[in-house]
Amino acid sequence: DAGVIQSPRHEVTEMGQEVTLRCKPISGHDYLFWYRQTMMRGLELLIYFNNNVPIDDSGMPEDRFSAKMPNASFSTLKIQPSEPRDSAVYFCASRSPGTGNYGYTFGSGTRLTVV
Amino acid sequence: AQTVTQSQPEMSVQEAETVTLSCTYDTSESNYYLFWYKQPPSRQMILVIRQEAYKQQNATENRFSVNFQKAAKSFSLKISDSQLGDTAMYFCASPSGAGSYQLTFGKGTKLSVIP
């Protein structure tokens, strides 16, 4: 298995532009999580899905952020319009079915820089 | 809100020595797993070790072991025979939310192994 795949690895964009981050979870994993990592706030959970359905989006900072999971093998996190304070590393993670005893498998993250 | 506290922002250890990283957590779950993740400069989040709260025996994975004190909600990581490749950020994680599907992460401890 190739693991959790995120793209792009790096993204630099100008303030006001739309940004789309992509994630392919591990096949068979039924939970998918989006986290944001910054120096100040650490790892923050933004949203998570179960069987493609959004379960909790209370961590999404603003309406500028949206996430979708149209099928079991693909998810996107979109920021529109982007702002400099959105600069961070965004991680996608997935988890196998069951009680969560195997933890998450993380993707390699997308480093977003908004200038 | 569930919290995870890592009280040591930075630590250093001589190569081949032993170091212990501290973590305290707060969860309302009755049966749960705890995790330590490693994040090297490559930024990949790597699962190091996990502990089931119902097991009294502390988990061990090669040079990594935990000291789990359930009543105190303490979950420390011990690294024996430290190697240069152990240099990384280390994050403790505990469940948050109903059903333990979400993980809350501590702010991390930056470990430097000195040759």
Side-chain angles (χ1 to χ4, degrees), chain A residues 9-10 31 33 35 37 41 43 45 48 56 91 95 100-104 106-109 111, chain B residues 33 35 37 39 42-47 50 91 96 98-107:
Chain A
R9 184 158 173 81
H10 303 278
Y31 280 85
F33 305 84
Y35 279 83
Q37 184 180 34
R41 301 175 68 90
L43 278 157
L45 177 64
Y48 77 95
D56 185 351
F91 284 101
R95 204 204 75 184
N101 53 331
Y102 293 103
Y104 297 173
F106 281 83
S108 55
R111 179 176 295 280
Chain B
Y33 286 79
F35 305 91
Y37 280 85
Q39 187 179 39
S42 67
R43 88 168 177 243
Q44 180 70 49
M45 293 285 285
I46 302 165
L47 179 62
R50 60 180 178 265
F91 296 93
S96 56
S100 302
Y101 300 121
Q102 308 170 49
L103 291 179
T104 294
F105 289 81
K107 291 290 179 66

Side-chain angles (χ1 to χ4, degrees), chain A residues 58-72:
Chain A
S58 59
M60 297 285 261
E62 300 173 32
D63 291 346
R64 298 183 297 105
F65 286 70
S66 63
K68 294 182 179 179
M69 192 165 186
N71 56 62

Side-chain angles (χ1 to χ4, degrees), chain A residues 16-36:
Chain A
Q17 295 299 306
E18 177 181 296
V19 176
T20 299
L21 311 181
R22 297 172 175 80
C23 175
K24 175 179 168 54
I26 290 174
S27 177
H29 282 195
D30 58 350
Y31 280 85
L32 183 141
F33 305 84
W34 283 99
Y35 279 83
R36 178 172 68 177

